[in-house]
Amino acid sequence: MTKRPGMLTRAKGAALPVLTVVAVIFMVWYAAAAILNLPWERDQAERAKVEFILTDALSNTMSQERPVLPAPHQVAQEIWKTTVQKKITSKRSLIYHGWITLSATLLGFLFGTILGLALAIGIVYNRAMDMSVMPWVIASQTIPILAIAPMIIVVLNAVGVSGLLPKAFISTYLAFFPIVVGMVKGLRSPDTLQTDLMRTYNASASQTFWKLRLPTSMPYLFASMKVAVAASLVGAIVGELPTGAVAGLGARLLAGSYYGQTIQIWSALICAAILAASLVAIVGLIGRIVERQMGFAR
Amino acid sequence: MSWGLIIGAIAFWLGAWALNVWLANRFPASRIVRFFVPVLFGVTLLVLWEGIARGANIPPILLPPPSMIWTKLTTSLDILRADFVQTFLKSALAGYGMGCAAAFLVALAIDRSPFLQKGLVPVGNFVAALPIIGIAPIMVMWFGFDWQSKAAVVVVMCFFPMLVNTVEGLKASEVMQRDLMHTYAGSYWQGLTKLRLPAAMPFIFNGLKICSTLALIGAIVAEFFGTPTVGMGFRISTEVGRMNIDMVWAEIAMAALAGSLFYGIISLIERAVTFWHPSIRS
């Protein structure tokens, strides 16, 4: 993800266009819901041998029990019902499931960041590691880890590791890559003039690292952490699929698809989206505060 | 537990690592070394894996040694080929083609309207960060169990990263260059085909590369939600259930190979198309 200066000022100018686009998306959603759900209404009318009245049928498409595509307000109602009106400890509360996914996400994100940082430091300071590890780091991402997720979960379960950790491993695998790539770039971003200055100060390698390389890499770190946190949420959700729909947002998706509960699928999906957006926003906010404290002119 | 194998593997690892360090510091610019060092590193990982898996008597159900995976891979080529055709050629490639083409055309269309750009790019960035893979069950419900539903997931997954990258790329030409086209009285299409699209190519290929890995992931994961009895995702989830872990690893090796080749081919095309870019010329 590239960094753009003046994100805040741009955001203000973009409010109207963004709102327009979002409004159009909602209109398309409603229209699609009407079109996709209409055949079922027609079927019902035929079966009940009553006259098919288009206007009635259209209004019915907005409130089917198991619609092909639920209307936005149905999803919103379901989310409201399963977050605010249910007790948090209840198995049907989305907050309960969301928390399970979130905890795996955060743990995986933490591991991924640490692993990514360690690899990046090794790559920057050791030429042999740069030449041998870097190509494999890139190759590692062409392996569809999400596809291997079920095996990792099942195998780790067999050795007795279950619950949070297996999911966190998958998140880690997805999260470490953007960190490595971003931080290798970031740790190498000080220019020759600056590294030469450190040399004239007779700074040791660790001093150069703590006082020059690490501070200059902060914008890169936060840019890649934004990508990484989104990726680790995906990892946690997919990690929940093979455990047989026990708990978590991924489990809600799977259970919904088994029982044809489209509204449940969509509400879990929207919740995951909200979660992803807030995580990215929080990391971005922390990044902005840190960068301002450190005096990066933006 | 046989310590000989483990110690041998570790000794091989240390030796290879020392050789790599020596090579990397001695001939940092040599092309052969640049190729040899990562290959040796990969071989070392395999040797270490084999040595530890055999030496520590790890049950093959947990972690089969590479040699066992290789035998499984060579003896079940028929199944692997069928899965490859179903998942990669039908679902992933079809979805990838449609998704990237659609995103490219939409990017060209909204490029003419700054208003749409300002609105769609933040939304696109937002959607690109979402766990889109979650729409898989919905798509299976809409398009059925066969490859069409998987392709649909891949289309949605590829669309937004490609859109955002193409829109970025179309802005990549400089004002000076566009002014030059203007002074030549170049039409919109001439400006597009002769200046802005070539300038956008690095960005477009970046999008294509991101989507290439997403496509395979999307196709495989979508198969967990329902599929005919063929396909990489189907095979992985059923063989895990039957504890045939070596078959799962063979399928993974296949997927990794297909993914790497796909990525490599796109990189090769990129090198040919964007030969003028500083990152290629250096």
Side-chain angles (χ1 to χ4, degrees):
Chain A
M1 198 177 270
T2 50
K3 266 173 32 66
R4 290 174 212 85
M7 206 87 124
L8 219 65
T9 47
R10 274 172 60 116
K12 272 178 199 151
L16 182 67
V18 171
L19 285 179
T20 316
V21 168
V22 171
V24 169
I25 289 175
F26 269 98
M27 273 157 58
V28 171
W29 188 345
Y30 269 112
I35 294 167
L36 285 169
N37 296 338
L38 204 53
W40 192 80
E41 288 295 331
R42 189 170 288 143
D43 258 24
Q44 286 303 98
E46 249 169 46
R47 236 173 258 173
K49 299 240 169 19
V50 289
E51 199 184 347
F52 180 72
I53 305 159
L54 190 66
T55 47
D56 283 3
L58 272 182
S59 71
N60 282 343
T61 55
M62 294 293 128
S63 54
Q64 285 177 5
E65 187 126 326
R66 286 180 184 185
V68 180
L69 175 65
H73 66 263
Q74 282 179 298
V75 178
Q77 272 169 5
E78 169 81 8
I79 291 178
W80 176 259
K81 226 168 59 194
T82 48
T83 52
V84 182
Q85 294 180 349
K86 283 264 171 357
K87 263 192 267 167
I88 294 179
T89 48
S90 159
K91 279 265 153 72
R92 302 181 71 176
S93 161
L94 265 183
I95 296 181
Y96 165 80
H97 290 287
W99 166 247
I100 288 176
T101 307
L102 181 66
S103 49
T105 306
L106 291 179
L107 194 63
F109 175 58
L110 184 73
F111 287 162
T113 310
I114 294 170
L115 177 66
L117 275 175
L119 277 178
I121 293 169
I123 286 170
V124 168
Y125 277 92
N126 183 326
R127 192 179 304 153
M129 238 180 116
D130 179 21
M131 283 168 91
S132 54
V133 177
M134 199 58 186
W136 288 102
V137 167
I138 293 169
S140 76
Q141 297 300 307
T142 61
I143 301 173
I145 178 73
L146 290 183
I148 317 172
M151 188 191 63
I152 296 174
I153 305 270
V154 171
V155 165
L156 284 180
N157 261 329
V159 236
V161 184
S162 61
L164 210 57
L165 273 180
K167 286 189 272 177
F169 278 137
I170 295 160
S171 294
T172 306
Y173 190 93
L174 288 177
F176 93 96
F177 177 69
I179 305 267
V180 173
V181 174
M183 281 308 277
V184 165
K185 214 178 229 173
L187 289 172
R188 281 183 179 151
S189 64
D191 56 32
T192 332
L193 211 59
Q194 293 166 322
T195 46
D196 278 355
L197 183 66
M198 291 311 261
R199 244 188 104 70
T200 59
Y201 286 164
N202 194 21
S204 65
S206 76
Q207 280 173 324
T208 317
F209 176 76
W210 289 107
K211 294 196 188 331
L212 174 65
R213 286 191 192 274
L214 195 63
T216 35
S217 66
M218 277 304 132
Y220 293 87
L221 176 66
F222 282 101
S224 34
M225 265 165 65
K226 278 200 260 182
V227 182
V229 79
S232 56
L233 180 66
V234 176
I237 289 178
V238 174
E240 282 159 359
L241 297 181
T243 49
V246 182
L249 290 177
R252 292 296 280 179
L253 285 177
L254 196 65
S257 86
Y258 281 163
Y259 303 116
Q261 300 280 6
T262 36
I263 302 182
Q264 182 187 326
I265 300 179
W266 278 92
S267 61
L269 204 56
I270 301 286
C271 269
I274 296 170
L275 205 56
S278 358
L279 284 174
V280 173
I282 291 169
V283 172
L285 189 69
I286 296 173
R288 234 179 344 243
I289 293 169
V290 168
E291 278 163 32
R292 190 165 301 157
Q293 291 291 318
M294 292 177 59
F296 281 98
R298 303 206 62 192
Chain B
M1 178 102 54
S2 78
W3 285 102
L5 274 169
I6 299 181
I7 292 168
I10 292 176
F12 181 84
W13 176 48
L14 290 176
W17 183 249
L19 178 64
N20 261 350
V21 169
W22 181 75
L23 280 173
N25 288 324
R26 190 74 202 280
F27 315 99
S30 155
R31 237 158 204 262
I32 302 164
V33 168
R34 281 192 168 274
F35 177 75
F36 179 75
V37 166
V39 169
L40 183 62
F41 182 73
V43 172
T44 322
L45 286 186
L46 283 183
V47 170
L48 203 61
W49 177 356
E50 179 88 33
I52 289 178
R54 281 194 188 281
N57 281 332
I58 297 177
I61 275 188
L62 296 183
L63 188 70
S67 55
M68 202 169 142
I69 298 168
W70 176 250
T71 13
K72 189 79 192 176
L73 197 136
T74 44
T75 49
S76 45
L77 275 178
D78 284 347
I79 302 175
L80 289 173
R81 189 179 304 123
D83 291 345
F84 175 78
V85 168
Q86 168 76 14
T87 304
F88 190 80
L89 296 185
K90 284 187 185 163
S91 322
L93 266 191
Y96 178 78
M98 285 191 274
C100 290
F104 181 75
L105 293 177
V106 171
L108 281 187
I110 67 171
D111 175 58
R112 301 193 82 161
S113 150
F115 184 80
L116 272 182
Q117 260 183 45
K118 268 194 200 144
L120 264 179
V121 172
V123 173
N125 265 324
F126 171 74
V127 176
L130 298 183
I132 297 186
I133 194 70
I135 64 160
I138 295 165
M139 291 299 157
V140 171
M141 232 173 254
W142 286 4
F143 295 101
F145 279 168
D146 210 354
W147 62 271
Q148 290 89 345
S149 59
K150 282 81 200 171
V153 174
V154 176
V155 166
V156 181
M157 278 181 92
C158 289
F159 185 81
F160 287 99
M162 186 66 192
L163 178 76
V164 171
N165 272 293
T166 313
V167 169
E168 275 303 300
L170 287 173
K171 288 190 211 140
S173 60
E174 283 164 27
V175 181
M176 198 87 116
Q177 299 167 325
R178 287 201 293 271
D179 279 354
L180 183 66
M181 291 310 276
H182 197 69
T183 57
Y184 288 164
S187 68
Y188 168 80
W189 288 107
Q190 282 173 324
L192 188 69
T193 50
K194 294 202 175 6
L195 168 64
R196 299 179 57 222
L197 272 185
M201 278 305 156
F203 292 85
I204 290 173
F205 272 100
N206 188 31
L208 285 175
K209 280 195 214 158
I210 296 173
C211 291
S212 72
T213 46
L214 285 181
L216 196 54
I217 290 176
I220 293 180
V221 175
E223 286 180 358
F224 296 163
F225 289 94
T227 155
T229 55
V230 65
M232 291 168 153
F234 164 79
R235 194 76 55 206
I236 290 174
S237 50
T238 47
E239 298 295 327
V240 163
R242 292 159 62 187
M243 281 295 171
N244 283 338
I245 300 295
D246 50 347
M247 185 65 202
V248 178
W249 276 101
E251 201 74 54
I252 291 167
M254 199 53 195
L257 191 67
S260 307
L261 277 181
F262 193 21
Y263 191 92
I265 289 170
I266 293 169
S267 305
L268 278 182
I269 302 174
E270 180 186 20
R271 288 184 80 89
V273 173
T274 62
F275 57 89
W276 46 271
H277 196 260
S279 66
I280 308 278
R281 274 159 62 197
S282 66

